[in-house]
């Protein structure tokens, strides 16, 4: 692979390089308790912040969306609607989209479908779906995408095997992972290799064999009764996919691992202090059974998935340490207050009311080996993180170094020789 250079034959990068050396020079000269202080004209970030080594690059903003859960995607979709509304209000941009405020999105199962709907670019350059439209989609289809039935989920939704993917193909057409607006990560489980497989925009841009149609990605991550034969656009990669809820129902850890190990796109992200994560659960399922009755296989799948999700949440919360209150937010419905009778009705207004009810519950913070703590409500926490995300967006206007350097697709029809040829210095706003 060719060596990647940020400055070769790039006038804009010559200017950036000059600014970088200028900031380093100022830090060297004025970063100590000397009497000499630089003027405002000498630096492009606030002097006090420079002394504290702040705002050098910024925090990577991550949105993570769980698989089905108790509300089959409706709770997460409702959370996104409220989050988008708060972001619009805090930023003063009435038509802003959720994709405008995040650098990375990851979703599993129906959460992966939400990620695809909200972060895939349409013909007008805007995301295909608004948050409200995505909510309507999961209200109508979420229970079909997340539950195992006697006939199999795709037979019920899409008819026979020759029509598999019809609904998703209608929504996405020929759009692929390369057509996503920000970094996208959507997992499934590959029965061929016996290991998780992650559909990644970064991989799709770098390697043709990793580019898949978005309709196939959504079919793979929601293949509850799979497997679904999934083939890359160039036909070189073939996987036998089943639901991403098996691979990683809570994909937050996967996203963090990707960011910390992807220095080409996130060159200055070195730890949790450089992250701002909003993780959306989908409501812990009520899987209790009477007496000694054995849970069904579907109930066991839900129990395992949510148990793993909760463990991931606790581990990540501990990893963030003292910064978890400001850098990591988990929004999850409270199992103890779910109305099973209303939940089993599971359609339309009842599910929406249940999701709204869970958003108004006390937010539960999981602390490994210390149990759970109830804080302010889920809505309050969404509002808090919307404010923090907008602050981060504003801080980037003062940053010298780019927080995110997204790989860009080539406009030429000739084959790419390496990932370096497709990189462009585009800092996410």
């Amino acid at each position: 692979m060719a060596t990647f250079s940020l400055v070769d034959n790039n006038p804009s990068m010559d200017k950036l390089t000059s600014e970088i050396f200028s900031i380093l020079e100022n830090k060297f000269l004025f970063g100590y308790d000397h009497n000499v202080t630089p003027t405002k004209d000498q630096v492009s970030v606030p002097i006090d912040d420079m002394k504290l080594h702040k705002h050098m690059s910024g925090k990577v903003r991550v949105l993570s969306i769980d698989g089905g859960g108790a509300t089959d995607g409706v709770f997460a979709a409702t959370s996104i609607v409220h989050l988008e509304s708060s972001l619009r209000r805090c930023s003063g941009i009435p038509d802003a989209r959720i994709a405008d405020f995040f650098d990375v999105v990851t979703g599993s199962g129906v959460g992966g479908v939400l990620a695809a709907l909200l972060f895939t670019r349409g013909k007008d350059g805007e995301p295909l779906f608004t948050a409200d439209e995505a909510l309507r989609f999961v209200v109508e289809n979420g229970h079909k995408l997340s539950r195992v039935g006697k006939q199999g989920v795709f037979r019920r939704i899409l008819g026979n095997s020759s029509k598999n993917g019809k609904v998703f193909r209608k929504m996405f057409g020929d759009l692929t992972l390369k057509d996503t607006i920000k970094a996208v990560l959507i997992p499934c489980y590959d029965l061929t290799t016996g290991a998780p497989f992650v559909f990644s925009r970064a991989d799709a841009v770098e390697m043709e064999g990793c580019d898949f149609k978005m309709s196939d990605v959504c079919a793979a991550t929601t293949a509850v009764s799979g497997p679904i034969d999934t083939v890359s656009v160039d036909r070189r990669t073939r996987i036998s996919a089943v639901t991403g809820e098996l691979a990683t129902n809570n994909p937050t850890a996967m996203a963090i691992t990707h960011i910390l190990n992807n220095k080409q796109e996130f060159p200055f992200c070195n730890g949790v202090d450089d992250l701002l994560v909003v993780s959306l659960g989908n409501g812990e399922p009520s899987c209790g059974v009477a007496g000694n009755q054995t849970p069904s296989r579907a109930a066991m799948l839900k129990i395992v998935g949510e148990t793993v999700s909760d463990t991931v949440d606790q581990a990540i919360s501990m990893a963030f340490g003292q910064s978890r209150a400001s850098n990591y937010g988990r929004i999850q419905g409270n199992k103890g207050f779910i109305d099973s009778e209303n939940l089993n009705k599971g359609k339309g207004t009842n599910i929406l009311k249940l999701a709204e009810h869970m958003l108004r519950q006390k937010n539960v913070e999981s602390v490994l080996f210390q149990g759970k703590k109830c804080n302010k409500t889920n809505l309050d926490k969404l509002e808090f993180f919307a404010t923090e995300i907008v602050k981060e967006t504003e801080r980037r206007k003062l940053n010298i170094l780019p927080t995110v350097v997204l790989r860009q697709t080539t406009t030429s029809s000739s084959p790419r020789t390496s990932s370096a040829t497709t990189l462009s210095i585009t800092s996410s706003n």
Side-chain angles (χ1 to χ4, degrees), residues 126 388 427:
E126 295 294 323
E388 292 300 303
S427 178

Side-chain angles (χ1 to χ4, degrees), residues 249 285 301-314:
N249 194 55
L301 179 63
K302 294 291 186 184
I303 292 171
V304 171
E306 289 303 322
T307 300
V308 172
S309 292
D310 196 45
T311 302
V312 169
D313 172 37
Q314 292 185 40

Side-chain angles (χ1 to χ4, degrees), residues 31 214 248 326:
M214 292 307 296
T248 170
S326 58

Side-chain angles (χ1 to χ4, degrees), residues 22 26 30 37-48 50:
S22 175
N26 278 306
F30 309 111
T37 302
T39 66
K40 291 182 179 179
D41 294 335
Q42 290 176 298
V43 294
S44 56
V45 295
I47 295 171
D48 291 339
M50 178 169 302

Side-chain angles (χ1 to χ4, degrees), residues 139-151:
V139 167
E140 296 171 2
N141 300 284
H143 63 289
K144 302 174 186 176
L145 298 174
S146 300
R147 294 179 184 173
V148 180
K150 293 180 180 180
Q151 294 180 335

